[in-house]
Amino acid sequence: MRLIDKVTLITGAGSGIGKETALLFAKEGAKVIVNDLNVEAGQQTVDEILSQNGIAIFIQADVTNESNVEELVEKSMDEYGQIDVLFNNAGISGVGELHEIELDDWNKVMNVNINGVFLVTKHVVPVMMLKQQGSIINMSSCIADIGLANRASYSATKGAILSLTKSIQVDYAKYNIRVNALMPGTIYTPFVEDYVSKSKDPEATVNSIKRRQLSDELGKPIDVAYAALYLASDESQFMMGSPFMIDGGVVNGKLS
Ligand code: NAD
């Protein structure tokens, strides 16, 4: 029960890493606010938590829409009266070499992956400032630390999230709010399944992903959920503005 009585808001918790984290946080005693754009998926996460005697509610909101985000925070406060942990997890993929990317596609990735984090954090931080405590977990990626083919727009957003994390950590340390970033490698979720299945040769794509890392296996959502659990809990009280790698050795390992 590492999160007993903590109110945790997770964006994009209807699928993949967000869903796994919501289930884990609930098992650890948290009250979980499950947000997603997709009503069916978000409600399904909540139903699974409730069936395991956990505490959760679903609030639909598009993280790129400021009035949706204001409502998300208001409803969360009406239900639980506080938000102790914010996990900015919602994100979308973007592929292609820079010269091939249409401006609309570029803007869409920027909008969800950066503006979404900006808006939700903007409206949650005042609640944390009042209570003089909080943990904000931002979803970056190990891609922020390396060059990877075909990911210009996506990597630009994840690099921005890492810089934003460090910068706002400085601003909010005085309110006892911690801000850290998760840096996963390839985690096998619907997000990656979709990318793999649409590639010309799915088997070759999986093998090329594996060649980047030291582990023989792709990452699983629970690998990232455990890292999020640590950042959400008071055990990580001395972690501030940190990038937290969960990448099977992609960034810091060398095969020879
Ligand atoms: P996923 O596609 O399985 O889940 C993302 C969820 O976000 C979906 O349920 C989707 O409906 C929701 N969402 C999308 N846009 C939204 C919006 N505007 N408002 C609210 N919800 C929205 O993806 P995942 O693989 O679990 O990825 C989660 C996060 O982890 C993303 O930020 C992704 O960039 C990051 N990440 C993933 C990997 C990986 O390999 N899977 C690696 C590094 C970082």
Side-chain angles (χ1 to χ4, degrees):
M1 286 292 180
R2 291 158 73 186
L3 299 181
I4 197 87
D5 288 336
K6 284 199 191 290
V7 179
T8 63
L9 166 56
I10 306 175
T11 67
S15 173
I17 297 167
K19 176 174 183 173
E20 195 71 31
T21 305
L23 294 170
L24 181 64
F25 280 14
K27 276 188 201 141
E28 293 292 339
K31 296 169 181 152
V32 185
I33 301 153
V34 170
N35 155 261
D36 208 285
L37 195 53
N38 182 327
V39 177
E40 214 176 301
Q43 191 55 54
Q44 173 68 30
T45 302
V46 168
D47 290 347
E48 286 181 38
I49 291 174
L50 298 181
S51 74
Q52 296 166 17
N53 298 318
I55 303 170
I57 54 164
F58 172 62
I59 304 177
Q60 198 239 3
D62 178 346
V63 296
T64 69
N65 177 315
E66 187 157 20
S67 53
N68 273 203
V69 170
E70 282 172 315
E71 269 178 42
L72 168 64
V73 176
E74 274 166 29
K75 285 184 187 165
S76 303
M77 291 302 285
D78 288 348
E79 186 72 23
Y80 295 127
Q82 66 192 61
I83 300 170
D84 299 297
V85 176
L86 165 62
F87 181 14
N88 281 310
N89 165 75
I92 59 170
S93 172
V95 290
E97 294 183 5
L98 186 142
H99 69 280
E100 302 166 336
I101 302 172
E102 297 297 337
L103 182 58
D104 279 354
D105 293 334
W106 174 270
N107 285 338
K108 196 171 169 207
V109 180
M110 299 297 139
N111 203 19
V112 178
N113 292 8
I114 305 181
N115 295 357
V117 173
F118 160 65
L119 285 174
V120 181
T121 307
K122 176 181 154 102
H123 291 283
V124 168
V125 153
V127 170
M128 293 180 165
M129 285 164 73
L130 268 181
K131 217 184 155 201
Q132 295 272 304
Q133 77 160 54
S135 173
I136 298 174
I137 305 163
N138 289 332
M139 182 57 94
S140 177
S141 163
C142 78
I143 205 170
D145 241 37
I146 54 174
L148 199 58
N150 276 310
R151 304 287 205 295
S153 58
Y154 182 72
S155 68
T157 65
K158 295 303 179 182
I161 296 294
L162 181 57
S163 291
L164 177 86
T165 298
K166 294 177 186 178
S167 180
I168 66 175
Q169 175 62 91
V170 176
D171 293 335
Y172 298 128
K174 56 183 172 287
Y175 302 104
N176 199 25
I177 298 171
R178 299 183 297 106
V179 193
N180 293 289
L182 290 175
M183 316 284 286
T186 304
I187 311 296
Y188 208 66
T189 66
F191 179 96
V192 170
E193 275 173 56
D194 184 54
Y195 169 73
V196 168
S197 67
K198 284 181 184 149
S199 64
K200 279 179 211 137
D201 182 345
E203 200 184 328
T205 304
V206 169
N207 286 336
S208 82
I209 293 170
K210 285 185 181 168
R211 273 199 300 277
R212 289 202 289 268
Q213 50 182 54
L214 298 179
S215 169
D216 289 336
E217 303 291 329
L218 296 188
K220 297 181 288 303
I222 192 69
D223 296 322
V224 185
Y226 279 128
L229 171 62
Y230 174 62
L231 292 178
S233 80
D234 297 335
E235 295 156 15
S236 59
Q237 62 177 346
F238 207 50
M239 273 193 82
M240 301 178 84
S242 293
F244 194 163
M245 294 286 171
I246 321 107
D247 69 346
V250 172
V251 171
N252 291 310
K254 285 269 178 286
L255 282 170
S256 58

